[in-house]
Amino acid sequence: MAASTCFFQSSSPLPFNFKQRNNQIHISIFRIRCYNTSQKHSSVVTLTTDPPPVYSSVKAFAPATVANLGPGFDFLGCAVDGIGDTVSLKVDPDVHPGEISISHISGQTPNIHKLSKNPLWNCAGIAAIEAMKMLRIRSVGLSLSLEKGLPLGSGLGSSAASAAAAAVAVNEIFGKRLSVDDLVLACLKSEEKVSGYHADNVAPSIMGGFVLIRNYQPLELMPLKFPSEKDLYFVLVTPEFEAPTKKMRAALPLEIGMPHHVWNSSQAAALVASVLQGDLFMLGKALSSDKIVEPKRAPLIPGMDAVKKAAIQAGAFGCTISGAGPTAVAVTDNEEKGHIIAQHMVLAFQKEGNLNASANVKQLDRLGARLISSVHLN
Amino acid sequence: MAASTCFFQSSSPLPFNFKQRNNQIHISIFRIRCYNTSQKHSSVVTLTTDPPPVYSSVKAFAPATVANLGPGFDFLGCAVDGIGDTVSLKVDPDVHPGEISISHISGQTPNIHKLSKNPLWNCAGIAAIEAMKMLRIRSVGLSLSLEKGLPLGSGLGSSAASAAAAAVAVNEIFGKRLSVDDLVLACLKSEEKVSGYHADNVAPSIMGGFVLIRNYQPLELMPLKFPSEKDLYFVLVTPEFEAPTKKMRAALPLEIGMPHHVWNSSQAAALVASVLQGDLFMLGKALSSDKIVEPKRAPLIPGMDAVKKAAIQAGAFGCTISGAGPTAVAVTDNEEKGHIIAQHMVLAFQKEGNLNASANVKQLDRLGARLISSVHLN
């Protein structure tokens, strides 16, 4: 097997080329999971062949995400509009049927050279492979191009966005046969390899908005609708500082005293209630109130405590660490206010942490990963 | 001070009698907290005297409550319609002005003789005294009659209902000058003495519906509106078994592993989301999913595990321990189904716990403690 491709095992006589597929040659009977839109659950449908592509190429975008949100550690996240990763995918007769090849990785992201073109070691590649496995694709090969819009290891769900864009691109090119749960599961395979089996980035990147992960066995995702008539802006300030997820995870306590457990649980519950009720004042308070994770991680990010104070003094409803950091996230209801808050946060990183930082002021993404362009088959 | 009365300190020349008050003799200038209905926050209003009674007598009812609700341990509770405690209060010239006297305690409740008529040692008395203190009542005396509708130590918020009915009765008789927060704070004085400074029974008993307690310093209560168009029934099965709150609290772990903390927090958040979204299926799942408190307490209540299984097998959406037990609470969307579930639960207590049990099938109380009758002053 070539380093840049992945081959799917099959009892069928492979390879079949694309023309054979269009001639409706039925190879074998197998089953795939299909999305029941009324129930939002997977169901099993018997097909007589693997699904043909409906496009010759697609481009999909997946947004950045803020996981944890303070007391929502490891089960809550939300998507942020306007920044994210993009995956272009095309049916490629030069790629072995049933396989995927990463042709190109681009972007202004520092350390982009660290990303592997081996799909087995690349977030987009792993998620794309999983999505192809779920669809049992064996008749066409795909080539994938990844455009990184997010910095690596920043706490903005960079790996999740790559995975989400890839999984959605695969699903779109084959006619949207996978459920939301399937897409999240495909991306979880990637997250598992990179940072752990946590869906608090991939689920909101796929689904948009706020998502609560209630269960993994089986996967149960709860989308939490922030009222459409209300504005919610995230001020995301990313310092030039490496906060490896593993190190940030190692800083966590193994045991938690009952009073802190009760406190954090109540704050997580209050956060969810605030999201659903569109109560930004309470959302900010709950976001800022983590007594378990943030107190252990903030000291590892120079200036973080001062940045949080600066954000709140500048009028933010609340502030905490985004994901495992080092990005700080504050919330507000107005873009202009957001920029003022951002200035104060950047200044605090400089002054108290001796770190340069860049800022984004972005709205809640309510859509999630989506097709942004497609080319139909001739 | 007599055993049955409580005297409030004042710099004013006491006693003043009721007629003097009606003649608008201004005793002193002092301040009380008043309720700002638009803000739901307390504010300070300067009054020139203590408020006069607007009724000669009132009767107030406060509903039973289910605290904890599984993963909402110590910060979440809801009110249950149709069962609760009733307090009758009257202006009594035979009671020393500024004081309160408990004249009568009645009800079919076993162990009712355990309840003290000393207002300093009775939940209704303590809450009434606190409410009178907040209003700075010094010109009239009150006598209180308590009608217990709830069994003691059952996990149905018996002490909270007595306190809530008393605080609301005092507030009503003096013209509703206290805020919801004030009423809860008055009742917390009582809870503190009986079982600990927890508002997860008193807040829903005062406010009705589901209430999340986000903070105590200062008190921050979040009412969680269950959609008015949906039905929610509680199946409350109380075995003849004593489960003292202190013993049930001693059974709790002091430290909680991170995975269990994350799990329970996510379930609490899911529970709150389900309440607000009116999703009974998910509400039941979250209610049943506590991995921290229920596993420690259920073994102390004979048959509880079997009762939970029986409830779910009989069609309940979920089941857990109500408060600190021994009552088991299951949820359903239909009264008839509720009675069938109740039969199975009672049978399971008999069969597996060797305990007789009584059942109630009651709807969510959406009103909270309220005036049920009043007599105007002549």
Side-chain angles (χ1 to χ4, degrees):
Chain A
M1 194 191 309
S4 63
T5 58
C6 177
F7 184 76
F8 296 119
Q9 295 299 322
S10 168
S11 57
S12 304
L14 283 172
F16 291 105
N17 67 30
F18 179 54
K19 280 185 181 165
Q20 282 176 309
R21 285 280 307 101
N22 268 359
N23 290 340
Q24 298 298 310
I25 294 169
H26 290 190
I27 302 155
S28 63
I29 293 173
F30 56 85
R31 306 194 320 160
I32 67 161
R33 285 197 282 176
C34 279
Y35 187 42
N36 178 336
T37 50
S38 66
Q39 296 272 330
K40 287 205 171 185
H41 290 301
S42 298
S43 55
V44 171
V45 176
T46 301
L47 292 183
T48 52
T49 182
D50 56 335
V54 295
Y55 299 114
S56 62
S57 70
V58 295
K59 190 184 267 198
F61 169 83
T65 43
V66 176
N68 296 346
L69 293 158
F73 177 68
D74 261 9
F75 64 84
L76 198 62
C78 65
V80 175
D81 196 30
I83 47 172
D85 288 357
T86 305
V87 162
S88 301
L89 206 62
K90 66 174 182 178
V91 173
D92 190 341
D94 293 336
V95 178
H96 202 289
E99 299 179 13
I100 194 160
S101 164
I102 296 179
S103 59
H104 198 64
I105 299 175
S106 63
Q108 299 302 312
T109 305
N111 298 324
I112 199 167
H113 63 276
K114 284 188 177 176
L115 297 178
S116 171
K117 277 193 175 175
N118 180 338
L120 293 174
W121 295 101
N122 178 293
C123 297
I126 298 166
I129 288 168
E130 282 303 312
M132 287 177 81
K133 271 188 190 171
M134 288 172 172
L135 291 166
R136 307 215 176 191
I137 302 303
R138 61 185 85 184
S139 308
V140 295
L142 301 173
S143 69
L144 183 156
S145 171
L146 171 62
E147 192 185 332
K148 285 298 298 178
L150 297 175
L152 311 184
S154 59
L156 290 170
S158 166
S159 60
S162 292
V168 165
V170 169
N171 194 35
E172 290 286 344
I173 212 165
F174 291 109
K176 295 184 79 163
R177 290 163 185 262
L178 297 177
S179 71
V180 167
D181 285 6
D182 287 336
L183 292 171
V184 172
L185 287 168
C187 294
L188 269 169
K189 280 280 176 183
S190 160
E191 290 291 85
E192 189 176 17
K193 218 162 203 171
V194 180
S195 60
Y197 200 78
H198 299 291
D200 46 351
N201 286 112
V202 290
S205 190
I206 293 281
M207 300 162 75
F210 289 85
V211 183
L212 189 164
I213 295 97
R214 199 194 80 85
N215 203 358
Y216 285 94
Q217 295 293 341
L219 186 67
E220 284 182 42
L221 306 168
M222 294 179 77
L224 306 171
K225 192 175 184 304
F226 186 79
S228 53
E229 69 278 12
K230 297 223 174 184
D231 287 328
L232 171 55
Y233 286 86
F234 297 93
V235 184
L236 301 158
V237 179
T238 307
E240 289 174 2
F241 178 76
E242 203 177 343
T245 303
K246 276 189 183 170
K247 191 179 166 193
M248 298 308 271
R249 198 159 274 276
L252 300 176
L254 297 174
E255 301 271 322
I256 294 137
M258 182 61 94
H260 276 187
H261 162 67
V262 170
W263 171 262
N264 259 45
S265 289
S266 68
Q267 303 312 308
L271 183 59
V272 162
S274 308
V275 167
L276 291 170
Q277 293 172 333
D279 182 345
L280 270 183
F281 180 73
M282 196 56 84
L283 191 157
K285 276 195 185 188
L287 183 84
S288 304
S289 65
D290 171 18
K291 287 187 181 177
I292 295 173
V293 176
E294 192 191 298
K296 295 288 181 188
R297 285 180 167 176
L300 303 179
I301 304 167
M304 180 57 81
D305 284 336
V307 168
K308 179 174 180 170
K309 276 183 201 148
I312 291 167
Q313 276 174 4
F317 289 113
C319 181
T320 189
I321 302 168
S322 178
T327 296
V329 56
V331 289
T332 184
D333 57 356
N334 175 295
E335 192 171 3
E336 202 179 331
K337 274 198 248 172
H339 287 294
I340 294 167
I341 293 163
Q343 284 170 14
H344 284 82
M345 292 169 74
V346 168
L347 206 66
F349 262 131
Q350 272 174 346
K351 202 174 159 189
E352 302 294 331
N354 201 25
L355 293 174
N356 289 326
S358 57
N360 277 294
V361 179
K362 300 288 179 188
Q363 271 193 295
L364 177 69
D365 176 290
R366 296 171 190 265
L367 299 173
R370 61 255 194 192
L371 189 67
I372 51 174
S373 69
S374 59
V375 177
H376 279 270
L377 288 162
N378 293 326
Chain B
M1 195 191 311
S4 63
T5 58
C6 177
F7 184 75
F8 295 120
Q9 295 299 322
S10 169
S11 58
S12 304
L14 283 173
F16 291 104
N17 68 29
F18 179 52
K19 279 183 182 167
Q20 282 176 309
R21 284 281 308 101
N22 268 0
N23 290 339
Q24 297 296 312
I25 295 169
H26 289 190
I27 302 155
S28 62
I29 293 173
F30 55 84
R31 307 195 321 161
I32 67 162
R33 285 197 283 177
C34 278
Y35 188 42
N36 178 335
T37 50
S38 66
Q39 297 272 332
K40 287 205 170 184
H41 290 300
S42 298
S43 54
V44 171
V45 176
T46 301
L47 291 184
T48 52
T49 182
D50 57 334
V54 295
Y55 300 113
S56 63
S57 70
V58 296
K59 190 183 269 197
F61 169 83
T65 45
V66 177
N68 297 344
L69 292 157
F73 175 68
D74 261 8
F75 65 85
L76 198 63
C78 65
V80 174
D81 196 29
I83 47 171
D85 287 358
T86 305
V87 162
S88 301
L89 205 62
K90 65 173 183 181
V91 173
D92 190 341
D94 294 335
V95 177
H96 201 288
E99 299 180 12
I100 194 160
S101 164
I102 297 179
S103 59
H104 199 63
I105 299 175
S106 63
Q108 298 304 310
T109 305
N111 298 324
I112 199 165
H113 62 277
K114 285 187 177 177
L115 296 178
S116 172
K117 277 193 178 177
N118 179 340
L120 293 174
W121 295 101
N122 179 293
C123 297
I126 299 167
I129 288 168
E130 282 302 313
M132 288 177 81
K133 272 189 191 173
M134 288 173 173
L135 291 166
R136 306 215 178 188
I137 302 302
R138 61 186 83 184
S139 309
V140 294
L142 301 173
S143 69
L144 183 155
S145 170
L146 171 63
E147 193 184 333
K148 286 296 298 176
L150 297 175
L152 311 184
S154 59
L156 290 170
S158 166
S159 60
S162 292
V168 164
V170 169
N171 194 35
E172 290 285 345
I173 211 166
F174 291 108
K176 295 184 80 164
R177 292 163 183 260
L178 297 177
S179 71
V180 167
D181 285 7
D182 287 335
L183 292 170
V184 172
L185 287 168
C187 295
L188 269 168
K189 280 280 176 183
S190 158
E191 289 291 84
E192 189 176 17
K193 218 161 203 172
V194 179
S195 60
Y197 200 78
H198 300 290
D200 47 350
N201 286 111
V202 289
S205 190
I206 292 281
M207 299 162 74
F210 289 84
V211 183
L212 189 163
I213 295 96
R214 198 194 82 85
N215 203 0
Y216 284 95
Q217 295 295 339
L219 186 66
E220 284 182 40
L221 306 169
M222 294 180 76
L224 306 171
K225 190 176 186 305
F226 187 79
S228 52
E229 70 277 13
K230 296 222 174 183
D231 287 328
L232 171 54
Y233 286 86
F234 297 93
V235 184
L236 301 157
V237 179
T238 307
E240 289 174 3
F241 178 76
E242 202 178 342
T245 303
K246 277 189 185 170
K247 191 179 166 192
M248 298 309 269
R249 197 158 274 276
L252 300 176
L254 297 174
E255 300 271 323
I256 293 139
M258 182 61 94
H260 276 188
H261 162 67
V262 170
W263 172 261
N264 259 46
S265 290
S266 68
Q267 303 312 307
L271 183 59
V272 163
S274 308
V275 167
L276 291 170
Q277 294 172 333
D279 182 345
L280 269 184
F281 180 72
M282 195 57 81
L283 190 158
K285 276 195 184 186
L287 182 84
S288 304
S289 66
D290 171 18
K291 287 187 180 177
I292 295 173
V293 176
E294 190 191 300
K296 295 289 181 187
R297 285 181 167 175
L300 304 180
I301 304 167
M304 181 57 80
D305 284 336
V307 168
K308 179 174 180 170
K309 275 183 201 147
I312 290 168
Q313 275 173 5
F317 289 112
C319 181
T320 189
I321 302 167
S322 178
T327 295
V329 56
V331 289
T332 184
D333 57 356
N334 176 295
E335 190 170 5
E336 202 178 332
K337 273 197 248 172
H339 287 293
I340 294 166
I341 292 162
Q343 284 171 12
H344 284 83
M345 291 169 76
V346 168
L347 206 65
F349 262 131
Q350 272 175 346
K351 202 174 160 190
E352 302 294 332
N354 202 25
L355 295 173
N356 289 327
S358 57
N360 277 295
V361 179
K362 300 289 177 186
Q363 271 193 295
L364 177 68
D365 176 289
R366 297 172 190 263
L367 299 174
R370 61 255 191 192
L371 188 67
I372 50 174
S373 69
S374 59
V375 177
H376 280 270
L377 288 163
N378 293 326

